[in-house]
Amino acid sequence: MNQRTTASLLTTMALFVTTFSHAGDPADAVVDDNASTSAKVFNIKSFGAVGDGVAMETQAIQDSIDACHDAGGGVVRVPAGHFQFGTIVLKSNVTLSLDHGASLLGSADKDDYTTEGLDDPREGGPHCLIYAHGATNVAIEGLGIIDARGTAENFPRDRSRGKNRGLRPRLLRMDNCDGLSFSGVTWKRPAFWGLHLVDCKHIHFDSVKIQFRNNNFNNDGLDLDGCENVLIENCDIDSGDDAICLKSSKNPCRNIVVRRCKVSSNTAALKLGTSSRGGFIDVEVTNCYFYDCPMGAIKLQSVDGGRLENIAISRITMKDVGSPIFIRLGDRGSTFSKDEKEKPPVGTLKNIRISEIVAEVTIEDREKATRAAYKNIKAEDAPGITDKEKSKAGPIMITGIPGHYVENVRLQNVTISFPGHGTTEDAQRPVAEDTDRYPEQYFFGVLPSWGAYIRHAKNIEFVNVNLETRGPDERKQICLEDVEGFVER
């Protein structure tokens, strides 16, 4: 992303934040007399909410939102207390504001999750705890907690037919919205994906805390599908599945900035893909800390025909991570649409800049791995390091497929420490193409190099890239296969 694009995005976000306002003054509004702002404040207790953690408060919360919206906008206030609820729908010009000590608690009863009035998403089922469609100027803010309580006990995954089924609501889903602000709130325990935004524009996440780890299956943190003009800053994310995940099931993700975030995940800290039909254009990630990510840290993937171009990642410290950088151009060819019958052509992946990186790659702790619900494993008793453990803590991997190259990738001022453990046999291992397989680096197995494996690529630059091992390793530092224009200096 160039400086002009970044400056334009940040100016847009600043204007969005400062001009977010609510108007209207109907005579029948229920207004909190203790409000300290000029906006109309609708206290959910004025609409019958109790806050004892037992009563079902869905109707009271929804009535507050509806009244606020009908009044032209304002603040729906959630005071201190524990408020249990099912599916609610946010509307234009409404700020949902949680006091310190306030908890919104998702119901453990599946019957409280309605799909009436909810559009079907392109991926997964329609159920969710918080929903909005076509809304403008919506905010969720404050110092409280939104806890979906979507544990595996309350919402078990159904694998009886080999599919990832079962009624497991998302924590939040917003479609085709414009002007979204999230700040301060702590989000916990979704049954499925966490905060899922589809085809939305002008989005700001600031100082959001996400605590999803080891709760249920597929607990992504932020899933942004086909979104534009997004600023994610100062957030603390600990997710069960991908933490910051850009998707493009139809439209491209474009003009995205991530900065000053602490990110941890059982899978990836940062992922572009796997859904990649629309592509990813102009993404900047800077000054972040990625830690405790045993299945990898940075994953850039175009496998469904989209363009993945102009990505800048800088000033990243990684501690206790698996494979640090995985860049994959593939030919899975998913369409995510009943209207698109033909498999799309292979996309493009080019113009990637990764700089100022310090990383420590480690073998996943076996006891810690058992805590992840989605892995469903017991501690292994195998002597030594297993192939699966080695493959998860693999080298940098940059790979296209035959006839389709990853292009123009520059790594500069990068220092990465690897654990070692490679054997002479590992150095001779063939690497399958897996052209149309789901793109996960460890699926390729133990690679024949410990520092970087590059295949089907053009114009790859390593500038001041320092790769080292902490233990012995019999493999090569770097393997190149079908690479044109590799420069190391």
Side-chain angles (χ1 to χ4, degrees):
M1 181 180 293
N2 59 42
Q3 291 182 345
R4 179 176 297 176
T5 302
T6 304
S8 176
L9 172 59
L10 297 182
T11 300
T12 299
M13 296 308 305
L15 288 172
F16 161 65
V17 173
T18 56
T19 59
F20 192 100
S21 62
H22 308 283
D25 188 17
D28 60 349
V30 180
V31 179
D32 188 339
D33 292 334
N34 295 320
S36 59
T37 67
S38 59
K40 296 292 184 186
V41 179
F42 299 77
N43 191 320
I44 64 172
K45 283 196 169 182
S46 299
F47 291 81
V50 178
D52 61 359
V54 178
M56 186 54 60
E57 320 275 24
T58 308
Q59 194 61 54
I61 297 171
Q62 189 63 60
D63 287 347
S64 306
I65 293 168
D66 294 346
C68 180
H69 169 72
D70 293 344
V75 175
V76 172
R77 179 186 171 192
V78 182
H82 305 290
F83 302 90
Q84 185 179 195
F85 71 115
T87 301
I88 59 172
V89 179
L90 291 177
K91 299 182 178 180
S92 296
N93 302 318
V94 171
T95 292
L96 183 64
S97 182
L98 283 70
D99 287 2
H100 182 269
S103 296
L104 289 175
L105 305 175
S107 172
D109 187 343
K110 296 178 181 179
D111 291 339
D112 291 320
Y113 294 85
T114 181
T115 59
E116 184 178 353
L118 276 60
D119 287 356
D120 285 335
R122 288 189 287 269
E123 295 185 89
H127 297 88
C128 57
L129 185 60
I130 300 172
Y131 179 74
H133 176 81
T136 59
N137 297 338
V138 176
I140 301 176
E141 59 91 22
L143 298 176
I145 295 169
I146 301 178
D147 184 353
R149 301 194 294 183
T151 63
E153 292 75 23
N154 290 338
F155 299 93
R157 184 177 66 156
D158 179 6
R159 297 282 286 176
S160 60
R161 289 179 288 172
K163 298 287 186 178
N164 200 8
R165 300 181 184 275
L167 197 163
R168 293 189 295 135
R170 292 167 171 84
L171 205 167
L172 173 144
R173 180 162 67 90
M174 294 182 166
D175 302 332
N176 293 284
C177 295
D178 193 343
L180 302 174
S181 176
F182 304 84
S183 62
V185 170
T186 297
W187 301 77
K188 292 184 174 183
R189 301 192 296 175
F192 183 53
W193 291 348
L195 281 61
H196 186 201
L197 310 183
V198 182
D199 299 339
C200 296
K201 298 179 180 180
H202 304 106
I203 305 161
H204 188 201
F205 288 93
D206 184 18
S207 302
V208 166
K209 182 175 286 188
I210 287 176
Q211 298 175 344
F212 295 171
R213 194 146 188 158
N214 301 337
N215 176 62
N216 206 322
F217 294 83
N218 313 106
N219 291 156
D220 289 14
L222 306 180
D223 284 319
L224 308 181
D225 184 346
C227 294
E228 297 185 15
N229 300 327
V230 180
L231 175 59
I232 303 170
E233 59 182 346
N234 309 316
C235 293
D236 188 345
I237 302 173
D238 188 14
S239 67
D241 212 316
D242 301 316
I244 298 175
C245 185
L246 306 188
K247 297 175 178 289
S248 61
S249 60
K250 181 179 180 181
N251 300 309
C253 276
R254 188 189 301 267
N255 294 340
I256 315 287
V257 171
V258 179
R259 63 188 185 188
R260 299 191 301 270
C261 291
K262 293 173 58 179
V263 185
S264 177
S265 169
N266 276 326
T267 53
L270 173 71
K271 179 188 278 188
L272 278 59
T274 58
S275 309
S276 48
R277 183 67 188 96
F280 312 92
I281 302 168
D282 294 335
V283 178
E284 180 178 354
V285 181
T286 187
N287 195 14
C288 292
Y289 177 48
F290 296 164
Y291 68 100
D292 195 8
C293 300
M295 279 178 58
I298 297 171
K299 301 178 183 180
L300 310 180
Q301 305 168 342
S302 176
V303 297
D304 300 318
R307 297 164 52 207
L308 196 159
E309 301 178 9
N310 301 337
I311 312 299
I313 300 172
S314 66
R315 298 176 63 195
I316 309 295
T317 298
M318 306 184 202
K319 176 71 173 178
D320 196 18
V321 302
S323 305
I325 299 169
F326 177 42
I327 300 176
R328 171 62 166 171
L329 175 64
D331 189 24
R332 181 178 65 173
S334 296
T335 61
F336 311 99
S337 171
K338 296 178 181 179
D339 298 327
E340 192 171 2
K341 305 299 183 182
E342 299 294 327
K343 181 179 178 179
V346 178
T348 59
L349 199 164
K350 59 186 178 182
N351 301 337
I352 312 297
R353 301 292 180 265
I354 300 175
S355 63
E356 309 299 332
I357 306 293
V358 177
E360 181 185 71
V361 177
T362 57
I363 300 291
E364 182 177 17
D365 179 83
R366 289 177 179 174
E367 192 281 327
K368 185 183 291 186
T370 65
R371 303 175 197 168
Y374 80 94
K375 294 182 181 179
N376 195 27
I377 62 174
K378 297 179 180 179
E380 298 185 49
D381 295 325
I385 305 299
T386 67
D387 284 353
K388 188 173 183 179
E389 289 170 333
K390 283 193 285 189
S391 65
K392 288 183 178 180
I396 297 167
M397 187 174 189
I398 302 172
T399 179
I401 58 177
H404 300 275
Y405 285 29
V406 174
E407 300 182 54
N408 304 335
V409 178
R410 180 185 178 98
L411 273 62
Q412 183 170 6
N413 299 334
V414 172
T415 298
I416 303 177
S417 169
F418 293 92
H421 302 293
T423 66
T424 302
E425 290 76 18
D426 292 336
Q428 305 303 317
R429 289 179 185 252
V431 182
E433 292 288 353
D434 275 348
T435 300
D436 57 358
R437 190 176 183 181
Y438 182 96
E440 197 67 70
Q441 178 167 331
Y442 82 90
F443 290 171
F444 289 91
V446 179
L447 296 174
S449 53
W450 59 262
Y453 180 83
I454 306 171
R455 181 170 65 178
H456 308 312
K458 293 181 180 180
N459 302 327
I460 310 298
E461 292 184 78
F462 279 22
V463 180
N464 191 28
V465 173
N466 300 300
L467 308 175
E468 59 184 30
T469 61
R470 301 185 300 277
D473 201 304
E474 300 301 321
R475 296 172 292 176
K476 295 179 181 179
Q477 182 186 70
I478 298 175
C479 279
L480 305 176
E481 296 183 20
D482 187 23
V483 176
E484 300 179 11
F486 176 73
V487 176
E488 185 178 18
R489 52 190 173 89

